[in-house]
Amino acid sequence: MTESTITEKHSVTVSFGSIELTGTLHHDDENRSLVLETDEGPEHLSMNLESYGFTPKPGNVFIKDWSEHAGLTARLEQAGLVQSLHELTVGPFGSTAYEVRMTL
């Protein structure tokens, strides 16, 4: 039997600026993903940047910081859920993403 790579935190409220969503935060370290499971369904907070040549270190995920996720990394860090490690510039529009360490 292998040890689970999923960490959960219940009753987490995440602010997206104009709206707030509450649910269970799931960090899957094996797949490097962070998802907020709400009553309305999953809200994917992390993103895969392998097509840009980036892979997060174990215990980390990438969070985009544009569009509906603008400012999300800072709000997650203020809530004590992540620790921002460094900023990345990705894509044809030079968008910002952050590699963060999970602190659940």
XYZ file of all heavy atoms in Angstrom:
805
model
N 0.853 -1.179 0.000
C 0.000 0.000 0.000
C 0.897 1.239 0.000
O 1.828 1.335 0.784
C -0.907 -0.026 1.225
C -1.817 1.179 1.330
S -2.892 1.090 2.779
C -4.367 0.526 1.980
N 0.597 2.194 -0.882
C 1.390 3.421 -0.946
C 0.733 4.521 -0.137
O -0.483 4.548 0.047
C 1.541 3.900 -2.411
O 0.251 4.167 -2.932
C 2.259 2.870 -3.249
N 1.559 5.431 0.330
C 1.064 6.557 1.116
C 0.379 7.568 0.203
O 0.847 7.851 -0.895
C 2.237 7.219 1.829
C 1.820 8.265 2.826
C 3.014 8.814 3.586
O 3.898 8.029 3.937
O 3.036 10.028 3.812
N -0.733 8.119 0.647
C -1.480 9.101 -0.137
C -0.670 10.379 -0.315
O 0.039 10.813 0.581
C -2.802 9.432 0.554
O -3.463 10.471 -0.117
N -0.785 10.958 -1.501
C -0.101 12.216 -1.776
C -1.080 13.377 -1.732
O -0.738 14.476 -2.112
C 0.579 12.181 -3.151
O -0.426 12.012 -4.156
C 1.605 11.086 -3.243
N -2.303 13.113 -1.269
C -3.327 14.156 -1.238
C -3.505 14.677 0.182
O -3.664 13.913 1.128
C -4.671 13.640 -1.787
C -4.505 13.249 -3.256
C -5.759 14.695 -1.626
C -5.715 12.643 -3.893
N -3.437 16.001 0.304
C -3.678 16.682 1.577
C -4.944 17.503 1.410
O -5.135 18.138 0.373
C -2.499 17.619 1.925
O -1.302 16.859 1.926
C -2.696 18.262 3.277
N -5.796 17.501 2.417
C -7.051 18.248 2.352
C -7.165 19.208 3.526
O -6.684 18.921 4.619
C -8.260 17.309 2.390
C -8.380 16.406 1.204
C -9.624 15.537 1.283
O -10.225 15.408 2.368
O -9.985 14.974 0.245
N -7.837 20.310 3.263
C -8.209 21.244 4.332
C -9.659 21.637 4.068
O -9.996 22.123 2.996
C -7.302 22.467 4.338
C -7.608 23.406 5.489
C -6.543 24.430 5.697
C -6.953 25.289 6.866
N -5.868 25.611 7.731
N -10.508 21.413 5.072
C -11.945 21.652 4.937
C -12.309 23.085 5.321
O -11.581 23.760 6.035
C -12.722 20.662 5.796
C -12.454 19.238 5.422
N -13.053 18.616 4.355
C -11.612 18.323 5.962
C -12.613 17.383 4.251
N -11.733 17.175 5.223
N -13.438 23.525 4.830
C -14.011 24.845 5.136
C -13.045 25.984 4.839
O -12.833 26.874 5.658
C -14.464 24.904 6.596
O -15.442 23.919 6.844
N -12.466 25.946 3.649
C -11.543 26.987 3.210
C -12.304 27.967 2.327
O -13.020 27.555 1.407
C -10.366 26.382 2.408
C -9.497 27.467 1.811
C -9.556 25.461 3.300
N -12.164 29.258 2.609
C -12.763 30.286 1.760
C -11.652 30.965 0.988
O -10.680 31.435 1.566
C -13.532 31.324 2.602
O -14.592 30.640 3.294
C -14.127 32.423 1.725
N -11.809 30.975 -0.345
C -10.820 31.586 -1.233
C -11.465 32.780 -1.911
O -12.543 32.665 -2.495
C -10.321 30.573 -2.291
C -9.362 31.232 -3.263
C -9.660 29.380 -1.606
N -10.795 33.920 -1.823
C -11.295 35.137 -2.446
C -10.704 35.287 -3.839
O -9.502 35.160 -4.037
C -10.909 36.353 -1.597
O -11.247 37.540 -2.296
N -11.569 35.568 -4.790
C -11.158 35.847 -6.165
C -11.386 37.322 -6.475
O -11.606 37.689 -7.620
C -11.937 34.967 -7.145
C -11.576 33.520 -7.031
C -12.221 32.701 -6.138
C -10.560 32.986 -7.814
C -11.883 31.366 -6.014
C -10.204 31.659 -7.703
C -10.874 30.842 -6.809
N -11.316 38.152 -5.463
C -11.535 39.584 -5.632
C -12.997 39.929 -5.497
O -13.448 40.355 -4.447
N -13.770 39.680 -6.551
C -15.184 40.052 -6.530
C -16.083 38.959 -5.964
O -17.225 39.220 -5.604
C -15.662 40.431 -7.930
O -15.501 39.331 -8.809
N -15.586 37.723 -5.881
C -16.381 36.632 -5.302
C -15.515 35.821 -4.355
O -14.283 35.842 -4.435
C -16.997 35.701 -6.377
C -15.889 34.937 -7.123
C -17.883 36.439 -7.335
C -16.410 33.758 -7.905
N -16.176 35.098 -3.470
C -15.514 34.172 -2.571
C -16.157 32.807 -2.736
O -17.377 32.706 -2.866
C -15.642 34.617 -1.110
C -14.850 35.844 -0.772
C -14.901 36.181 0.716
O -15.813 35.688 1.419
O -14.028 36.931 1.156
N -15.320 31.765 -2.728
C -15.799 30.392 -2.809
C -15.312 29.647 -1.576
O -14.164 29.819 -1.150
C -15.274 29.698 -4.065
C -15.695 30.284 -5.412
C -15.012 29.535 -6.551
C -17.206 30.232 -5.566
N -16.193 28.808 -1.015
C -15.844 28.014 0.160
C -15.993 26.544 -0.175
O -16.952 26.143 -0.835
C -16.752 28.381 1.353
O -16.579 29.769 1.648
C -16.401 27.563 2.587
N -15.023 25.761 0.286
C -15.075 24.328 0.052
C -13.896 23.636 0.690
O -13.292 24.142 1.639
N -13.554 22.482 0.147
C -12.422 21.703 0.624
C -11.270 21.864 -0.347
O -11.429 21.654 -1.547
C -12.800 20.214 0.760
O -13.884 20.103 1.688
C -11.629 19.387 1.260
N -10.125 22.244 0.180
C -8.929 22.436 -0.626
C -8.190 21.108 -0.705
O -7.885 20.495 0.320
C -8.055 23.507 0.017
C -6.992 24.162 -0.829
C -7.581 24.826 -2.071
C -6.233 25.189 -0.012
N -7.926 20.640 -1.931
C -7.231 19.374 -2.177
C -5.896 19.661 -2.834
O -5.860 20.230 -3.935
C -8.034 18.479 -3.129
C -9.348 18.039 -2.605
N -9.520 16.871 -1.919
C -10.566 18.623 -2.669
C -10.788 16.751 -1.588
N -11.445 17.798 -2.030
N -4.809 19.259 -2.179
C -3.487 19.349 -2.794
C -3.041 17.927 -3.106
O -2.873 17.096 -2.209
C -2.476 20.013 -1.860
C -1.088 19.918 -2.381
N -0.062 19.371 -1.653
C -0.552 20.283 -3.568
C 1.050 19.416 -2.367
N 0.779 19.956 -3.534
N -2.864 17.640 -4.395
C -2.379 16.342 -4.860
C -0.925 16.529 -5.261
O -0.633 17.074 -6.326
C -3.227 15.868 -6.039
C -2.813 14.507 -6.571
O -1.680 14.054 -6.282
O -3.615 13.911 -7.295
N -0.011 16.104 -4.394
C 1.412 16.336 -4.643
C 1.923 15.529 -5.832
O 2.743 16.016 -6.605
C 2.235 16.040 -3.394
C 3.661 16.537 -3.514
O 3.865 17.625 -4.093
O 4.583 15.846 -3.045
N 1.441 14.326 -5.992
C 1.899 13.488 -7.105
C 1.602 14.148 -8.454
O 2.420 14.132 -9.366
C 1.251 12.111 -7.045
C 1.727 11.177 -8.142
C 1.119 9.788 -8.025
O 0.645 9.413 -6.936
O 1.129 9.078 -9.045
N 0.422 14.737 -8.580
C 0.014 15.382 -9.830
C 0.241 16.883 -9.835
O -0.138 17.556 -10.791
C -1.455 15.072 -10.122
C -1.650 13.610 -10.406
O -1.025 13.056 -11.298
N -2.480 12.951 -9.616
N 0.815 17.416 -8.740
C 1.122 18.838 -8.617
C -0.114 19.699 -8.904
O -0.083 20.617 -9.706
C 2.268 19.259 -9.529
C 3.556 18.484 -9.385
C 4.204 18.706 -8.019
N 5.561 18.178 -7.989
C 5.876 16.955 -7.583
N 4.936 16.134 -7.171
N 7.117 16.541 -7.579
N -1.219 19.358 -8.233
C -2.451 20.115 -8.456
C -3.048 20.597 -7.150
O -2.861 19.997 -6.089
C -3.474 19.284 -9.233
O -4.066 18.313 -8.417
N -3.766 21.717 -7.254
C -4.479 22.319 -6.135
C -5.874 22.669 -6.621
O -6.035 23.438 -7.571
C -3.746 23.572 -5.647
C -4.344 24.284 -4.430
C -4.310 23.367 -3.203
C -3.593 25.572 -4.161
N -6.883 22.076 -5.979
C -8.270 22.247 -6.397
C -9.116 22.566 -5.172
O -8.974 21.934 -4.126
C -8.802 20.962 -7.074
C -10.273 21.098 -7.435
C -7.975 20.610 -8.303
N -10.008 23.541 -5.310
C -11.004 23.847 -4.293
C -12.306 23.187 -4.721
O -12.888 23.553 -5.744
C -11.191 25.361 -4.145
C -12.188 25.803 -3.076
C -11.661 25.466 -1.675
C -12.476 27.294 -3.199
N -12.742 22.172 -3.969
C -13.999 21.482 -4.253
C -15.125 22.223 -3.549
O -15.137 22.304 -2.325
C -13.950 20.027 -3.769
C -13.100 19.119 -4.603
C -13.723 18.772 -5.943
O -14.951 18.937 -6.118
O -12.971 18.340 -6.820
N -16.046 22.784 -4.328
C -17.178 23.518 -3.778
C -18.477 22.792 -4.104
O -18.479 21.811 -4.859
C -17.248 24.946 -4.362
O -17.634 24.862 -5.738
C -15.911 25.663 -4.235
N -19.596 23.294 -3.574
C -20.898 22.713 -3.894
C -21.210 22.825 -5.381
O -21.962 22.019 -5.925
C -22.005 23.412 -3.090
C -21.936 23.099 -1.610
O -21.322 22.072 -1.234
O -22.488 23.882 -0.818
N -20.639 23.828 -6.052
C -20.881 24.036 -7.477
C -19.940 23.215 -8.360
O -20.085 23.191 -9.572
C -20.727 25.521 -7.848
C -21.786 26.428 -7.248
C -21.472 26.822 -5.809
O -20.274 26.979 -5.466
O -22.420 26.956 -5.024
N -18.930 22.589 -7.753
C -17.962 21.797 -8.509
C -16.546 22.244 -8.213
O -16.312 23.097 -7.356
N -15.580 21.690 -8.943
C -14.180 22.005 -8.659
C -13.748 23.342 -9.261
O -14.167 23.708 -10.355
C -13.417 20.855 -9.330
C -14.309 20.423 -10.449
C -15.719 20.649 -9.957
N -12.909 24.061 -8.508
C -12.261 25.277 -9.007
C -10.764 24.981 -8.982
O -10.154 24.836 -7.924
C -12.579 26.475 -8.111
C -11.884 27.749 -8.513
C -12.351 28.314 -9.836
O -13.541 28.135 -10.192
O -11.540 28.959 -10.517
N -10.179 24.840 -10.164
C -8.764 24.517 -10.286
C -7.936 25.769 -10.014
O -8.045 26.758 -10.737
C -8.463 23.934 -11.669
C -9.156 22.633 -11.894
N -8.585 21.432 -11.546
C -10.391 22.356 -12.384
C -9.442 20.462 -11.820
N -10.543 20.996 -12.327
N -7.131 25.711 -8.961
C -6.321 26.858 -8.567
C -4.913 26.779 -9.151
O -4.263 27.799 -9.332
C -6.237 26.954 -7.041
C -7.575 27.024 -6.305
C -7.341 27.125 -4.812
C -8.428 28.171 -6.808
N -4.445 25.569 -9.419
C -3.100 25.397 -9.970
C -3.188 25.177 -11.477
O -4.264 24.970 -12.032
C -2.410 24.204 -9.316
O -3.125 23.015 -9.604
N -2.006 25.248 -12.103
C -1.955 25.003 -13.542
C -0.684 24.258 -13.892
O 0.310 24.311 -13.168
C -2.047 26.311 -14.313
C -0.907 27.265 -14.072
S -1.085 28.814 -14.957
C -1.491 28.273 -16.579
N -0.728 23.579 -15.024
C 0.397 22.817 -15.532
C 1.165 23.698 -16.515
O 0.582 24.216 -17.467
C -0.131 21.555 -16.225
C 0.957 20.658 -16.710
O 1.952 21.110 -17.278
N 0.785 19.373 -16.520
N 2.456 23.871 -16.285
C 3.289 24.711 -17.153
C 4.361 23.893 -17.878
O 5.360 24.441 -18.337
C 3.947 25.833 -16.343
C 3.007 26.833 -15.694
C 3.791 27.847 -14.871
C 2.170 27.543 -16.752
N 4.153 22.573 -17.982
C 5.136 21.721 -18.650
C 5.366 22.134 -20.101
O 6.477 22.017 -20.603
C 4.725 20.260 -18.561
C 4.887 19.688 -17.176
C 4.480 18.231 -17.077
O 4.206 17.598 -18.121
O 4.433 17.722 -15.946
N 4.343 22.635 -20.788
C 4.513 23.042 -22.182
C 5.458 24.239 -22.311
O 5.964 24.515 -23.395
C 3.163 23.358 -22.828
O 2.551 24.452 -22.182
N 5.701 24.938 -21.205
C 6.657 26.058 -21.187
C 8.006 25.639 -20.595
O 8.886 26.478 -20.388
C 6.087 27.236 -20.382
C 4.836 27.806 -20.980
C 3.609 27.617 -20.356
C 4.865 28.512 -22.178
C 2.444 28.139 -20.906
C 3.703 29.030 -22.732
C 2.501 28.835 -22.091
O 1.352 29.347 -22.646
N 8.141 24.344 -20.290
C 9.397 23.833 -19.769
C 9.553 23.945 -18.270
O 10.659 23.821 -17.751
N 8.453 24.154 -17.536
C 8.517 24.304 -16.080
C 7.804 23.143 -15.396
O 6.692 22.779 -15.777
C 7.854 25.606 -15.631
C 8.500 26.849 -16.157
C 7.828 27.652 -17.069
C 9.777 27.224 -15.751
C 8.404 28.814 -17.561
C 10.360 28.379 -16.238
C 9.681 29.171 -17.143
N 8.431 22.603 -14.361
C 7.832 21.568 -13.518
C 8.054 21.979 -12.067
O 9.197 22.236 -11.673
C 8.498 20.195 -13.770
O 8.373 19.870 -15.148
C 7.850 19.105 -12.931
N 6.991 22.048 -11.259
C 7.186 22.434 -9.860
C 7.900 21.336 -9.076
O 7.771 20.156 -9.391
C 5.767 22.649 -9.341
C 4.910 21.810 -10.223
C 5.589 21.768 -11.563
N 8.638 21.744 -8.068
C 9.318 20.793 -7.189
C 8.281 20.066 -6.336
O 7.162 20.559 -6.164
C 10.309 21.532 -6.298
C 11.468 22.107 -7.062
C 12.433 22.808 -6.137
C 13.573 23.396 -6.968
N 14.529 24.135 -6.153
N 8.638 18.910 -5.775
C 7.710 18.205 -4.884
C 7.227 19.123 -3.761
O 8.003 19.906 -3.202
C 8.565 17.058 -4.336
C 9.573 16.807 -5.414
C 9.886 18.179 -5.968
N 5.940 19.051 -3.478
C 5.323 19.891 -2.452
C 4.874 21.242 -2.969
O 4.289 22.023 -2.231
N 5.151 21.516 -4.253
C 4.824 22.814 -4.847
C 3.824 22.670 -5.979
O 3.660 21.591 -6.553
C 6.085 23.476 -5.411
C 7.135 23.738 -4.370
O 6.900 23.598 -3.182
N 8.305 24.123 -4.812
N 3.183 23.793 -6.327
C 2.317 23.890 -7.508
C 2.546 25.253 -8.146
O 3.140 26.145 -7.537
C 0.812 23.729 -7.168
C 0.517 22.357 -6.589
C 0.313 24.827 -6.255
N 2.058 25.407 -9.375
C 2.060 26.700 -10.047
C 0.664 27.295 -9.979
O -0.327 26.588 -10.190
C 2.453 26.564 -11.522
C 3.872 26.146 -11.740
C 4.158 25.034 -12.507
C 4.926 26.856 -11.206
C 5.461 24.642 -12.743
C 6.240 26.467 -11.425
C 6.506 25.353 -12.197
N 0.584 28.591 -9.699
C -0.698 29.300 -9.685
C -0.604 30.459 -10.659
O 0.327 31.267 -10.585
C -1.035 29.815 -8.269
C -1.176 28.628 -7.320
C -2.316 30.653 -8.298
C -1.450 29.000 -5.895
N -1.575 30.537 -11.584
C -1.588 31.665 -12.516
C -2.054 32.916 -11.788
O -2.818 32.828 -10.822
C -2.451 31.375 -13.738
C -3.943 31.386 -13.495
C -4.667 31.176 -14.810
C -6.146 31.406 -14.684
N -6.837 31.346 -15.966
N -1.589 34.052 -12.260
C -1.942 35.317 -11.608
C -2.492 36.300 -12.644
O -2.071 37.448 -12.689
C -0.717 35.896 -10.890
C -1.127 36.852 -9.777
O -1.817 36.394 -8.854
O -0.787 38.042 -9.855
N -3.400 35.831 -13.469
C -4.042 36.690 -14.447
C -5.510 36.292 -14.562
O -5.928 35.306 -13.979
C -3.340 36.619 -15.814
C -3.410 35.316 -16.537
C -4.393 34.909 -17.399
C -2.481 34.235 -16.499
N -4.137 33.667 -17.885
C -2.956 33.224 -17.356
C -1.279 34.022 -15.832
C -2.284 32.025 -17.551
C -0.613 32.822 -16.029
C -1.112 31.858 -16.876
N -6.260 37.113 -15.269
C -7.686 36.887 -15.495
C -8.402 36.767 -14.141
O -8.140 37.555 -13.232
C -7.874 35.648 -16.370
O -9.198 35.499 -16.773
N -9.274 35.776 -13.992
C -10.047 35.642 -12.752
C -9.175 35.262 -11.558
O -9.624 35.336 -10.421
C -11.182 34.616 -12.928
C -10.736 33.174 -13.002
C -10.199 32.710 -14.352
O -10.160 33.510 -15.311
O -9.809 31.538 -14.448
N -7.923 34.896 -11.791
C -7.012 34.527 -10.707
C -6.023 35.641 -10.357
O -5.082 35.414 -9.596
C -6.250 33.254 -11.064
C -7.098 32.024 -10.987
N -6.567 30.762 -10.951
C -8.446 31.843 -10.948
C -7.534 29.876 -10.883
N -8.687 30.510 -10.884
N -6.217 36.837 -10.876
C -5.328 37.963 -10.558
C -5.320 38.209 -9.049
O -6.363 38.349 -8.423
C -5.766 39.223 -11.296
N -4.134 38.196 -8.448
C -3.993 38.419 -7.013
C -4.232 37.192 -6.150
O -4.120 37.262 -4.925
N -4.553 36.059 -6.765
C -4.892 34.850 -6.005
C -3.727 34.358 -5.162
O -3.910 34.000 -3.992
C -5.361 33.744 -6.952
C -5.719 32.415 -6.300
C -6.845 32.584 -5.286
C -6.102 31.391 -7.363
N -2.523 34.351 -5.721
C -1.369 33.860 -4.968
C -1.187 34.652 -3.677
O -0.993 34.070 -2.600
C -0.090 33.923 -5.822
O -0.288 33.126 -6.992
C 1.114 33.408 -5.059
N -1.257 35.964 -3.750
C -1.093 36.804 -2.563
C -2.177 36.517 -1.533
O -1.899 36.447 -0.327
C -1.102 38.282 -2.947
N -3.418 36.321 -1.984
C -4.507 36.047 -1.038
C -4.339 34.669 -0.380
O -4.603 34.507 0.816
C -5.857 36.184 -1.730
C -6.190 37.644 -2.042
C -7.610 37.817 -2.540
N -7.848 37.247 -3.855
C -7.586 37.850 -5.007
N -7.058 39.057 -5.027
N -7.855 37.249 -6.153
N -3.885 33.668 -1.152
C -3.642 32.344 -0.574
C -2.493 32.391 0.434
O -2.533 31.732 1.472
C -3.328 31.330 -1.676
C -4.479 30.941 -2.599
C -3.964 30.078 -3.743
C -5.590 30.241 -1.841
N -1.481 33.201 0.132
C -0.348 33.345 1.048
C -0.783 34.054 2.333
O -0.416 33.640 3.435
C 0.790 34.090 0.365
C 2.084 34.056 1.145
C 3.278 34.488 0.336
O 3.141 35.368 -0.543
O 4.359 33.945 0.592
N -1.592 35.098 2.211
C -2.091 35.814 3.394
C -2.933 34.899 4.275
O -2.950 35.040 5.496
C -2.908 37.037 2.978
C -2.067 38.152 2.407
C -2.912 39.254 1.784
O -4.121 39.118 1.603
N -2.258 40.353 1.438
N -3.629 33.938 3.658
C -4.460 32.995 4.405
C -3.631 31.866 5.024
O -4.171 31.013 5.728
C -5.539 32.415 3.487
N -2.318 31.833 4.747
C -1.453 30.809 5.308
C -1.540 29.464 4.614
O -1.143 28.448 5.179
N -2.041 29.440 3.387
C -2.217 28.186 2.663
C -1.029 27.845 1.766
O -0.799 26.677 1.452
C -3.492 28.242 1.824
C -4.764 28.485 2.630
C -5.933 28.778 1.712
C -5.050 27.293 3.536
N -0.296 28.868 1.330
C 0.867 28.665 0.466
C 1.974 29.637 0.863
O 1.719 30.641 1.539
C 0.541 28.869 -1.040
C -0.586 27.960 -1.503
C 0.223 30.322 -1.348
N 3.175 29.336 0.389
C 4.304 30.262 0.513
C 4.828 30.491 -0.893
O 5.253 29.547 -1.573
C 5.406 29.673 1.385
C 6.631 30.559 1.459
C 7.793 29.878 2.155
O 7.770 28.691 2.445
N 8.822 30.644 2.405
N 4.783 31.720 -1.354
C 5.258 32.058 -2.696
C 6.773 31.926 -2.743
O 7.481 32.456 -1.884
C 4.836 33.489 -3.049
O 5.284 33.816 -4.340
N 7.276 31.205 -3.759
C 8.707 30.977 -3.898
C 9.333 31.859 -4.964
O 10.358 32.468 -4.732
C 8.978 29.511 -4.216
C 8.495 28.526 -3.150
C 8.690 27.101 -3.622
C 9.205 28.772 -1.833
N 8.724 31.868 -6.151
C 9.240 32.739 -7.200
C 8.207 32.948 -8.294
O 7.273 32.187 -8.455
C 10.571 32.236 -7.775
C 10.519 30.865 -8.368
N 10.226 30.634 -9.674
C 10.741 29.658 -7.818
C 10.260 29.337 -9.916
N 10.568 28.728 -8.806
N 8.428 34.021 -9.026
C 7.537 34.452 -10.102
C 8.077 33.962 -11.438
O 9.284 33.943 -11.665
C 7.493 35.979 -10.080
C 6.597 36.604 -11.103
C 6.590 38.116 -10.980
O 6.476 38.634 -9.845
O 6.706 38.767 -12.022
N 7.160 33.555 -12.323
C 7.505 33.110 -13.671
C 6.736 33.954 -14.682
O 5.604 34.365 -14.409
C 7.112 31.645 -13.874
C 7.698 30.631 -12.910
C 6.899 29.345 -12.952
C 9.136 30.366 -13.267
N 7.331 34.177 -15.833
C 6.634 34.823 -16.936
C 6.413 33.767 -18.008
O 7.372 33.117 -18.448
C 7.462 35.991 -17.497
O 7.694 36.920 -16.434
C 6.726 36.696 -18.618
N 5.145 33.576 -18.408
C 4.810 32.492 -19.338
C 3.869 32.973 -20.438
O 3.161 33.971 -20.280
C 4.140 31.307 -18.598
C 5.100 30.667 -17.616
C 2.883 31.729 -17.888
N 3.873 32.237 -21.518
C 2.926 32.443 -22.594
C 3.250 33.607 -23.504
O 4.154 34.398 -23.244
N 2.488 33.702 -24.587
C 2.746 34.725 -25.603
C 2.455 36.147 -25.121
O 2.921 37.106 -25.731
C 1.813 34.330 -26.737
C 0.729 33.543 -26.092
C 1.381 32.827 -24.948
N 1.711 36.281 -24.024
C 1.378 37.604 -23.518
C 2.211 37.983 -22.295
O 1.935 38.986 -21.638
C -0.114 37.699 -23.192
C -0.985 37.416 -24.378
C -1.704 36.241 -24.471
C -1.063 38.324 -25.432
C -2.494 35.963 -25.576
C -1.847 38.064 -26.539
C -2.555 36.880 -26.613
N 3.221 37.171 -21.958
C 4.071 37.463 -20.814
C 3.311 37.473 -19.510
O 3.522 38.336 -18.656
N 2.429 36.506 -19.320
C 1.602 36.431 -18.117
C 2.413 35.947 -16.922
O 3.421 35.261 -17.071
C 0.426 35.487 -18.354
O -0.362 35.963 -19.424
N 1.947 36.290 -15.730
C 2.644 35.947 -14.499
C 2.022 34.728 -13.832
O 0.800 34.624 -13.714
C 2.604 37.128 -13.505
O 3.218 38.254 -14.118
C 3.320 36.798 -12.211
N 2.889 33.816 -13.410
C 2.495 32.677 -12.593
C 3.502 32.584 -11.455
O 4.596 33.163 -11.534
C 2.497 31.396 -13.413
N 3.127 31.890 -10.387
C 4.009 31.737 -9.239
C 4.170 30.262 -8.902
O 3.196 29.506 -8.955
C 3.434 32.455 -8.004
C 3.433 33.943 -8.131
C 2.335 34.606 -8.648
C 4.548 34.685 -7.745
C 2.334 35.984 -8.770
C 4.549 36.072 -7.862
C 3.454 36.709 -8.382
O 3.459 38.070 -8.502
N 5.389 29.880 -8.535
C 5.577 28.568 -7.921
C 5.405 28.795 -6.428
O 6.026 29.702 -5.853
C 6.944 27.981 -8.214
C 7.090 26.593 -7.612
C 8.325 25.834 -8.054
O 9.128 26.386 -8.840
O 8.482 24.686 -7.621
N 4.549 27.994 -5.805
C 4.276 28.130 -4.385
C 4.476 26.795 -3.688
O 4.280 25.737 -4.279
C 2.842 28.649 -4.106
C 2.611 30.007 -4.745
C 1.788 27.653 -4.550
N 4.891 26.864 -2.430
C 4.999 25.686 -1.578
C 3.711 25.600 -0.776
O 3.258 26.586 -0.195
C 6.196 25.820 -0.633
C 6.318 24.642 0.348
C 7.529 24.770 1.263
N 8.735 24.765 0.450
C 9.640 25.749 0.470
N 9.491 26.790 1.244
N 10.720 25.681 -0.284
N 3.143 24.430 -0.741
C 1.913 24.228 0.025
C 2.221 24.213 1.523
O 3.195 23.613 1.950
C 1.249 22.909 -0.374
C 0.865 22.844 -1.849
S -0.163 24.231 -2.400
C -1.502 24.156 -1.241
N 1.396 24.905 2.301
C 1.595 24.972 3.747
C 0.336 24.542 4.502
O 0.127 24.951 5.632
C 2.020 26.394 4.184
O 1.025 27.325 3.757
C 3.357 26.764 3.598
N -0.487 23.721 3.865
C -1.735 23.238 4.498
C -1.436 22.527 5.796
O -0.527 21.785 5.915
C -2.474 22.261 3.588
C -3.005 22.801 2.273
C -3.676 21.678 1.499
C -3.989 23.904 2.507
